[in-house]
């Protein structure tokens, strides 16, 4: 019995030390003290001390440890470690990790999260949003862009160039605006709320493209030539990577260049002959300068002793002889400029390579580094605005539209769809703000950009579907007054570009996250690749034993946090949000544990087990998104009105994290490990629940009722109630209808009749007749009726208006007329 009690005490001591991540020395000392106490009391004898010394001495004496343990393990590790192509290595090396690494490591420091500065606009950036951005939005008519022209008007293009919209990332010394990532995000959000075509055309030159690449890698000559021209809009850039044969697998592009001598402007120079066939290239049809990615070969070794130099990026003026450009693709009725380009044996000098000849073969690294920044800004911002616009318009419409004599937004079934939109809008804005904020802190967040790109575009697609369902026929019938259909149609574009979503979820988020965020895996890999064996053993030893301690700690943390439901773990606040921090402590520890288990049991195979990787990535993503929600709540002053939105987002995310973990255990390739660990992580089953009906009702209420929480939801959108801004007109209609409701009640009460809430102009007349309302109040009712009708009505057109080929139609009509006449 004494022995059993002592074993239990020893286990508790080990557990506490592991939970608090004690060092090996402290571990050894604490166990020695416990054993000494055991010897003093009785149950610990000589055998226990011998076992202890046999384990503790080799572990604590570096020389013995490295010889007996590390060296053989390094040999085994080298045999099973995942093989990596040079493009994969470069992708992993590119970019930085930030807060997501803390979440990955099992023990997040919440104070650190809340201490990250709140992104803010400078006075100049705010003035740009209030001035040129609004002026531009007043100029554009989305129906004209998407239906009549399939393009922006020449005046709008000119305005974009004149005001520097294409130069938000370009430094001031070259004539650009040099805006923060946060300001770029706000501009893009505001543009998206009126026109996706507009925000796509503005987003691309400010994202991954010649401007970004030149600023980071260009020679002084290239910067001085191109950047001022790009800033003034004298050059329009595009960037061409994708080929028909190489989409997601962009590293395998077949496009190539051969280093050779040739004639250039009357002189013989060292250059390259380029052959390419690219497609899907945004802005290509109107580009004057083409950023081109190709594989450079040097068969005659004119640049050095390497024949295959690898992926290289160059800037090719579009008027270079042999460049074919100008045709258009037609992406899902959201006709931003996008098209193919080809070139066959086009000779250009070597100094067209971005960064000059010394950057030959460095293209892949350049691209992945820049992508980690651009991917966190453009698509998340545009998609966030899409969700927010859906939340505002659906909220307003659901309050105005009545069926069965009540606003449809009061029906429980509709509330469910609305809550998904509203909660996602709050969360998307929170995570986009936090992610762009990290860029302004100097990060190049490759994992975060993949998380936000994937999850925000997916939420946007769902929000569009939900919004469409709530709007019914109003959403389906297209025309100048439809503010929803283009977003619904265009949603798959965001899903596909900058890393198609299935690939991003299954390979990129966790694939990069596991290696980048893990405190030891990258160091182990680097040590294993080191050809100097002594240095390799020393580095591997440090990483390996750190890793073992980390894994033991995560096991005990997971066990304790799961067993107690994380009730005793730390949270920075003791209010309604405390439970979310605590659950995140638990899931963070479980993620760290399962990462090591997955890597340890699957080794290099984990790369191919995409669904395991995807679920681990889902857990990391849900932790990141939830922490961004809690940060937003804190940064905005913990507004009690916003709590339902916070609750919805946190509970929805945490339930998704729980599901991902559960499915991970159920599908874990090693069944024994899956079953045992499921018991450790879910000792009481799946205890977390999705948001309740009550919370969803509260979210739907916020969306339908003008209040501060609702205004925060629509922050950064363009909601001016102007004729060519349909989403702003619905907002206006909401205000008009709400103003009329008490007057309507007054009249129906006086008339002692239950009138339907329409023909409000007749209600106004009745009110005047009964002398219960003033003429001014009657006007409010008439205005509400006009707004109500404008909101629920849809566009219709002349019979021939919708035919794109008017000439065909006219000739057919003429033939029919002739037949009739005959
Ligand atoms: C409108 C538009 C604009 C674009 N703009 C540009 C641009 O300006 N410049 C440029 O260079 N490119 C651009 N692209 C290309 C875009 O980035 C690619 O479309 C994208 O990389 C996907 O390639 P793909 O369409 O050929 O799909 P594929 O690569 O054929 O993929 C098909 C499906 O397979 C999935 N998949 C592929 N590999 C894996 C994997 N290993 N694991 C799991 N799933 C996988 C993908 O997720 C996808 O669902 C644009 C594309 C579009 C449609």
């Amino acid at each position: 019995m004494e022995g059993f009690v002592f074993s239990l005490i020893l286990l508790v001591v080990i557990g506490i030390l592991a939970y608090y991540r004690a060092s090996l020395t402290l571990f050894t000392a604490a166990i020695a003290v416990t054993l000494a106490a055991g010897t003093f009391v009785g149950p610990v004898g000589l055998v226990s001390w011998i076992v202890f010394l046999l384990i503790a001495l080799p572990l604590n004496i570096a020389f013995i440890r490295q010889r007996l343990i590390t060296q053989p393990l390094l040999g085994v590790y080298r045999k099973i470690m995942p093989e990596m192509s040079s493009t994969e290595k470069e992708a992993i090396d590119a970019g930085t990790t930030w807060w997501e690494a803390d979440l990955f490591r099992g023990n997040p420091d919440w104070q650190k999260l809340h201490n990250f500065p709140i992104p803010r606009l400078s006075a100049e950036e705010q003035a740009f949003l209030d001035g040129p951005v609004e002026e531009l939005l007043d100029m554009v008519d989305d129906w004209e862009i998407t239906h009549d022209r399939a393009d922006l008007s020449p005046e709008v293009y000119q305005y974009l160039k004149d005001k520097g919209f294409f130069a938000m990332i370009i430094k001031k010394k070259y004539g650009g605006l040099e805006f923060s990532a946060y300001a770029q995000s706000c501009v893009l959000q505001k543009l998206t709320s009126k026109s996706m075509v507009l925000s796509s055309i503005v987003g691309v030159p400010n994202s991954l493209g010649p401007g970004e690449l030149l600023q980071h890698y260009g020679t002084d000559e290239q910067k001085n030539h191109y950047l001022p021209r790009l800033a003034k809009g004298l050059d329009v850039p595009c960037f061409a990577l994708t080929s028909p044969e190489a989409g997601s697998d962009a590293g395998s592009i077949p496009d190539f260049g051969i280093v050779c001598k040739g004639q250039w402007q009357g002189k013989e120079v060292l250059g390259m002959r380029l052959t390419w066939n690219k497609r899907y290239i945004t802005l290509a049809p109107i580009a004057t300068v083409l950023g081109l990615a190709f594989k450079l070969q040097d068969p005659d070794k004119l640049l050095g002793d390497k024949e295959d130099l690898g992926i290289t990026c160059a800037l090719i003026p579009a008027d270079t002889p042999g460049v074919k450009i100008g045709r258009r693709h037609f992406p899902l009725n959201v006709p931003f400029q996008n098209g193919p380009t080809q070139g066959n044996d086009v000779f250009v000098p070597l100094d067209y390579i971005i960064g000059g000849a010394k950057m030959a073969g460095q293209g892949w690294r350049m691209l992945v580094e820049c992508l980690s920044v651009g991917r966190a800004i453009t698509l998340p911002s545009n998609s966030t605005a899409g969700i927010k616009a859906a939340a505002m318009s659906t909220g307003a419409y659901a309050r105005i539209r009545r069926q069965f004599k009540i606003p449809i937004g009061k029906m429980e079934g509709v509330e469910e769809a609305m809550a998904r939109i509203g909660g996602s809008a709050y969360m998307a804005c929170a995570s986009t703000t936090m992610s762009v904020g990290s860029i302004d802190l100097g990060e190049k967040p490759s994992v975060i950009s993949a998380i936000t790109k994937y999850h925000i575009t997916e939420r946007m697609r769902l929000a569009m579907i939900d919004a469409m369902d709530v709007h019914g026929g109003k959403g389906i019938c297209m025309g100048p007054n439809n503010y929803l259909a283009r977003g619904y149609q265009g949603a798959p574009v965001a899903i596909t570009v900058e890393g198609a979503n299935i690939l991003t979820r299954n390979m990129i988020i966790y694939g990069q996250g596991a290696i980048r965020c893990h405190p030891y895996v990258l160091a182990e890999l680097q040590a294993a690749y080191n050809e100097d064996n002594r240095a390799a053993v020393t580095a591997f030893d440090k990483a390996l034993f750190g890793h073992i301690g980390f894994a033991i700690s995560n096991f005990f943390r997971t066990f304790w946090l799961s067993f107690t439901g994380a009730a005793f773990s730390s949270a920075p606040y003791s209010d309604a949000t405390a439970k979310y921090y605590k659950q995140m402590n638990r899931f963070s520890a479980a993620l760290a544990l399962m990462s090591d288990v997955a890597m340890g049991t699957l080794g290099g195979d984990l790369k191919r087990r995409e669904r395991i990787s995807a679920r681990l990535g889902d857990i990391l993503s849900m932790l990141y998104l939830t922490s961004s929600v809690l940060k937003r709540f804190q940064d905005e002053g913990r507004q009690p009105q916003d709590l339902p939105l916070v609750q919805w987002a946190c509970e929805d995310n945490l339930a998704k994290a729980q599901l991902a973990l559960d499915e991970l255990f159920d599908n874990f390739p090693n069944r024994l490990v899956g079953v045992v660990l499921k018991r450790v992580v879910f000792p009481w089953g799946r205890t977390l629940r999705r948001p309740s009906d009550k919370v969803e009702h509260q979210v739907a209420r916020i969306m339908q009722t003008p209040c501060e929480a609702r205004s925060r939801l629509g922050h950064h959108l363009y909601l001016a109630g102007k004729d060519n801004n349909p989403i702003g007109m619905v907002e206006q209609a909401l205000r008009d209808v709400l103003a009329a409701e008490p007057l309507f009640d007054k009249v129906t009460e006086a008339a002692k009749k239950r009138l339907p809430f329409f023909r409000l102009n007749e209600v106004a007349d009745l009110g005047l007749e009964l002398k219960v309302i003033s003429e001014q109040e009657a006007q409010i009712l008439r205005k509400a009726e006009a707004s109500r009708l404008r909101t629920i009505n849809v566009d219709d057109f002349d019979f021939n208006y919708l035919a794109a080929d008017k000439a065909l139609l006219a000739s057919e009509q003429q033939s029919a007329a002739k037949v009739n006449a005959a």
Side-chain angles (χ1 to χ4, degrees), residues 239 241-242 247-248 280-282 338 497-498 500 502-503 507 610:
F239 192 82
L241 171 65
T242 305
S248 301
Y280 304 157
I281 310 306
T282 301
N338 184 279
V497 299
E498 293 193 10
I502 297 180
L503 165 94
M507 273 186 78
E610 287 193 346

Side-chain angles (χ1 to χ4, degrees), residues 195-348:
S195 167
M196 266 174 68
V197 174
L198 186 60
S199 61
S200 302
I201 289 179
V202 170
V204 168
N206 286 297
S207 180
L208 175 65
E212 177 80 349
L213 292 170
L214 277 170
Q215 293 203 113
H216 281 90
Y217 308 101
T219 60
D220 285 343
E221 207 182 334
Q222 288 170 338
K223 287 183 194 170
N224 291 332
H225 173 74
Y226 277 115
L227 291 175
R229 291 181 59 78
L230 290 171
K232 285 198 197 99
L234 298 174
D235 269 326
V236 176
C238 68
F239 192 82
L241 171 65
T242 305
S243 306
E245 305 305 338
S248 301
D249 186 10
S252 70
I253 41 172
D255 315 285
F256 63 94
I258 309 280
V259 179
C260 59
K261 290 191 175 150
Q263 286 297 312
W264 185 253
Q265 295 171 349
K267 280 193 233 156
E268 190 184 68
V269 297
L270 197 53
M272 345 171 240
R273 290 204 170 279
L274 303 175
T275 297
W276 71 90
N277 177 20
K278 304 286 192 182
R279 67 175 181 183
Y280 304 157
I281 310 306
T282 301
L283 292 192
I286 56 164
T288 61
V289 56
L290 169 69
L292 188 71
F294 53 90
K295 285 188 174 154
L296 190 59
Q297 296 154 16
D298 185 12
D300 299 330
K301 301 195 175 168
L302 297 171
L303 294 180
D305 52 9
K306 257 175 103 176
E307 285 189 29
D308 284 324
L309 294 167
I311 293 180
T312 302
C313 298
L315 285 184
I316 318 290
D319 59 5
T320 306
V323 174
K324 282 194 210 149
I325 205 160
R327 292 186 63 77
R328 290 183 70 177
H329 299 307
F330 189 18
L332 283 170
N333 268 334
V334 187
F336 58 91
Q337 291 289 346
N338 184 279
T341 166
Q342 295 89 18
N344 194 10
D345 247 357
V346 176
F347 183 79
V348 295

